[in-house]
Coordinates of all heavy atoms in Angstrom, one line a residue:
Q1 N 94.0 65.1 102.4 CA 93.5 65.0 101.1 C 92.0 65.5 101.1 O 91.3 65.4 102.1 CB 93.6 63.6 100.6 CG 95.0 63.2 100.2 CD 95.0 61.9 99.5 OE1 94.2 61.0 99.7 NE2 96.0 61.7 98.6
A2 N 91.5 66.0 100.0 CA 90.2 66.4 99.8 C 89.3 65.2 100.3 O 89.5 64.0 99.9 CB 89.9 66.8 98.4
G3 N 88.3 65.5 101.1 CA 87.4 64.5 101.6 C 87.8 63.9 102.9 O 87.0 63.3 103.6
G4 N 89.0 64.3 103.4 CA 89.4 63.8 104.7 C 88.9 64.7 105.8 O 88.1 65.6 105.7
S5 N 89.4 64.4 107.0 CA 88.9 65.0 108.3 C 90.1 65.4 109.2 O 91.1 64.9 109.1 CB 88.0 64.0 109.1 OG 86.9 63.7 108.4
L6 N 89.8 66.5 109.9 CA 90.7 67.0 110.9 C 89.9 67.5 112.1 O 88.7 67.9 112.0 CB 91.6 68.1 110.4 CG 92.8 67.9 109.5 CD1 93.4 69.2 109.1 CD2 93.8 67.0 110.2
R7 N 90.5 67.4 113.3 CA 89.8 68.0 114.5 C 90.8 69.0 115.1 O 91.9 68.6 115.5 CB 89.4 67.0 115.5 CG 88.6 67.6 116.7 CD 88.0 66.6 117.6 NE 88.9 66.3 118.7 CZ 88.6 65.9 119.9 NH1 87.4 65.8 120.3 NH2 89.6 65.6 120.8
L8 N 90.4 70.3 115.1 CA 91.2 71.3 115.7 C 90.8 71.4 117.3 O 89.6 71.3 117.5 CB 90.9 72.6 115.1 CG 91.2 72.7 113.6 CD1 91.1 74.1 113.0 CD2 92.6 72.1 113.2
S9 N 91.7 71.7 118.1 CA 91.4 71.9 119.5 C 92.0 73.3 119.9 O 93.0 73.7 119.3 CB 92.1 70.9 120.4 OG 91.7 69.6 120.1
C10 N 91.4 73.9 120.8 CA 91.9 75.2 121.3 C 91.7 75.2 122.8 O 90.6 75.2 123.4 CB 91.0 76.3 120.7 SG 91.4 78.0 121.4
A11 N 92.8 75.1 123.5 CA 92.8 75.2 125.0 C 93.0 76.5 125.4 O 93.8 77.3 125.0 CB 94.0 74.3 125.5
V12 N 92.2 76.9 126.5 CA 92.1 78.3 127.0 C 92.7 78.2 128.4 O 92.3 77.5 129.3 CB 90.7 78.8 127.0 CG1 90.8 80.3 127.6 CG2 90.2 78.9 125.6
F13 N 93.7 79.1 128.6 CA 94.4 79.2 129.9 C 94.2 80.6 130.5 O 94.4 81.6 129.8 CB 95.9 79.0 129.8 CG 96.2 77.6 129.2 CD1 96.4 77.4 127.9 CD2 96.4 76.5 130.0 CE1 96.7 76.2 127.3 CE2 96.7 75.2 129.5 CZ 96.8 75.1 128.1
G14 N 93.6 80.6 131.7 CA 93.4 81.9 132.4 C 91.9 82.3 132.1 O 91.3 81.9 131.2
G15 N 91.5 83.1 133.0 CA 90.1 83.7 132.8 C 89.1 82.6 133.2 O 89.5 81.6 133.9
T16 N 87.8 82.9 132.8 CA 86.7 81.9 133.2 C 86.2 81.4 131.9 O 85.4 82.1 131.2 CB 85.7 82.6 134.0 OG1 86.3 83.2 135.2 CG2 84.7 81.6 134.4
F17 N 86.6 80.2 131.5 CA 86.2 79.7 130.1 C 84.7 79.7 130.0 O 84.2 80.0 128.9 CB 86.8 78.3 130.0 CG 86.5 77.6 128.7 CD1 87.2 78.0 127.5 CD2 85.5 76.7 128.6 CE1 86.9 77.4 126.3 CE2 85.2 76.1 127.3 CZ 85.9 76.5 126.2
S18 N 84.0 79.3 131.0 CA 82.5 79.2 130.9 C 81.8 80.5 130.5 O 80.7 80.5 130.2 CB 82.0 78.5 132.1 OG 82.2 79.3 133.2
S19 N 82.6 81.6 130.8 CA 81.9 82.9 130.5 C 82.2 83.4 129.1 O 81.8 84.5 128.7 CB 82.5 84.0 131.5 OG 83.8 84.3 131.2
Y20 N 83.0 82.6 128.3 CA 83.4 83.1 127.0 C 82.5 82.5 125.9 O 82.2 81.3 125.8 CB 84.8 82.6 126.7 CG 85.9 83.1 127.6 CD1 87.0 82.4 127.8 CD2 85.8 84.4 128.2 CE1 88.1 82.9 128.6 CE2 86.8 84.9 129.0 CZ 87.9 84.1 129.3 OH 88.9 84.6 130.1
V21 N 82.2 83.4 125.0 CA 81.7 82.9 123.7 C 82.9 82.6 122.9 O 83.9 83.2 123.0 CB 80.8 83.9 122.9 CG1 81.6 85.2 122.7 CG2 80.3 83.4 121.6
M22 N 82.9 81.4 122.2 CA 84.1 80.9 121.5 C 83.8 80.9 120.0 O 82.8 80.5 119.6 CB 84.5 79.5 122.0 CG 84.8 79.4 123.4 SD 86.3 80.4 123.9 CE 87.5 79.7 122.9
G23 N 84.8 81.3 119.2 CA 84.7 81.3 117.8 C 85.9 80.7 117.1 O 87.0 80.6 117.6
W24 N 85.7 80.2 115.9 CA 86.8 79.8 114.9 C 86.7 80.7 113.8 O 85.6 80.9 113.2 CB 86.6 78.4 114.6 CG 87.0 77.3 115.6 CD1 86.2 76.7 116.5 CD2 88.4 76.9 115.9 NE1 87.0 75.9 117.3 CE2 88.3 76.0 117.0 CE3 89.6 77.2 115.4 CZ2 89.4 75.4 117.5 CZ3 90.7 76.6 116.0 CH2 90.6 75.7 117.1
F25 N 87.8 81.2 113.3 CA 88.0 82.0 112.2 C 89.1 81.4 111.3 O 89.9 80.6 111.8 CB 88.3 83.5 112.5 CG 87.2 84.2 113.3 CD1 87.0 84.0 114.6 CD2 86.4 85.1 112.6 CE1 86.0 84.6 115.3 CE2 85.4 85.8 113.2 CZ 85.2 85.5 114.6
R26 N 89.2 81.8 110.0 CA 90.3 81.4 109.2 C 90.7 82.6 108.3 O 89.9 83.4 108.0 CB 89.9 80.1 108.4 CG 88.7 80.4 107.4 CD 88.3 79.1 106.7 NE 87.2 79.3 105.8 CZ 86.5 78.3 105.2 NH1 86.8 77.0 105.5 NH2 85.6 78.6 104.3
Q27 N 91.9 82.5 107.8 CA 92.5 83.4 106.9 C 93.4 82.7 105.9 O 94.3 82.2 106.2 CB 93.2 84.5 107.7 CG 93.7 85.7 106.9 CD 94.1 86.8 107.7 OE1 94.5 86.8 108.9 NE2 94.2 88.0 107.1
A28 N 92.9 82.8 104.7 CA 93.8 82.3 103.5 C 94.7 83.4 103.0 O 94.4 84.7 103.2 CB 92.8 81.8 102.4
P29 N 95.7 83.1 102.3 CA 96.7 84.1 101.8 C 96.0 85.1 100.9 O 95.2 84.8 100.1 CB 97.7 83.2 101.0 CG 97.6 81.9 101.7 CD 96.2 81.7 102.1
G30 N 96.2 86.4 101.2 CA 95.7 87.5 100.4 C 94.2 87.8 100.7 O 93.6 88.6 100.1
K31 N 93.6 87.1 101.7 CA 92.2 87.3 102.0 C 92.0 87.8 103.5 O 92.9 87.6 104.3 CB 91.4 86.0 101.8 CG 91.4 85.6 100.4 CD 90.5 84.4 100.2 CE 90.3 83.9 98.7 NZ 89.3 82.8 98.5
E32 N 90.8 88.4 103.7 CA 90.6 88.8 105.0 C 90.2 87.6 106.0 O 89.8 86.6 105.5 CB 89.4 89.8 105.0 CG 89.8 91.2 104.3 CD 88.7 92.1 104.5 OE1 87.6 91.8 105.0 OE2 88.9 93.3 104.1
R33 N 90.3 87.9 107.2 CA 90.0 86.8 108.2 C 88.5 86.7 108.2 O 87.7 87.7 108.2 CB 90.4 87.2 109.6 CG 90.3 86.1 110.6 CD 91.1 86.5 111.9 NE 92.5 86.6 111.6 CZ 93.4 86.7 112.6 NH1 93.0 86.7 113.9 NH2 94.7 86.9 112.3
E34 N 88.0 85.4 108.1 CA 86.5 85.2 108.0 C 86.0 84.3 109.1 O 86.7 83.4 109.6 CB 86.1 84.7 106.6 CG 86.5 83.3 106.3 CD 85.9 82.7 105.1 OE1 85.1 83.3 104.4 OE2 86.4 81.6 104.7
F35 N 84.8 84.5 109.5 CA 84.1 83.7 110.5 C 83.9 82.3 109.9 O 83.5 82.1 108.8 CB 82.8 84.3 110.8 CG 81.9 83.5 111.6 CD1 82.0 83.4 113.0 CD2 80.8 82.8 111.1 CE1 81.1 82.6 113.8 CE2 80.0 82.0 111.8 CZ 80.1 82.0 113.2
V36 N 84.1 81.3 110.8 CA 83.8 79.9 110.4 C 82.7 79.3 111.3 O 81.7 78.8 110.8 CB 85.1 79.0 110.5 CG1 84.7 77.6 110.3 CG2 86.1 79.5 109.6
A37 N 82.8 79.5 112.6 CA 81.9 78.9 113.5 C 81.9 79.6 114.9 O 83.0 80.1 115.3 CB 82.1 77.4 113.7
A38 N 80.9 79.5 115.6 CA 80.9 80.1 117.0 C 79.9 79.1 117.9 O 79.0 78.5 117.4 CB 80.4 81.5 117.0
I39 N 80.2 79.2 119.2 CA 79.4 78.5 120.2 C 79.2 79.4 121.4 O 80.1 80.0 121.9 CB 80.0 77.1 120.5 CG1 79.1 76.4 121.5 CG2 81.4 77.3 121.1 CD1 79.5 74.8 121.6
T40 N 78.0 79.5 121.8 CA 77.7 80.4 122.8 C 78.2 79.9 124.2 O 78.5 78.7 124.3 CB 76.2 80.7 123.0 OG1 75.5 79.4 123.2 CG2 75.7 81.3 121.7
R41 N 78.2 80.7 125.2 CA 78.9 80.3 126.5 C 78.3 79.3 127.3 O 78.9 78.4 127.8 CB 79.3 81.5 127.3 CG 78.1 82.2 127.9 CD 78.6 83.3 128.9 NE 77.5 84.0 129.6 CZ 77.0 83.6 130.7 NH1 77.3 82.5 131.3 NH2 76.1 84.3 131.3

């Protein structure tokens, strides 16, 4: 419901996680994928 909370998780398998910049993006129906947040490596 509006005003509520969620926590998304993203587990990475393979490669070297500490070398990755990580980002979250979102895409609503009929819209382009847009940037939400990023965290440096």
Side-chain angles (χ1 to χ4, degrees):
Q1 287 189 330
S5 298
L6 283 175
R7 187 174 84 152
L8 305 183
S9 300
C10 174
V12 179
F13 301 91
T16 305
F17 180 77
S18 61
S19 71
Y20 298 152
V21 59
M22 299 299 300
W24 285 98
F25 292 77
R26 66 187 179 188
Q27 188 165 18
K31 295 188 176 181
E32 293 187 352
R33 190 168 299 189
E34 70 171 353
F35 169 82
V36 177
I39 185 166
T40 57
R41 69 171 179 86

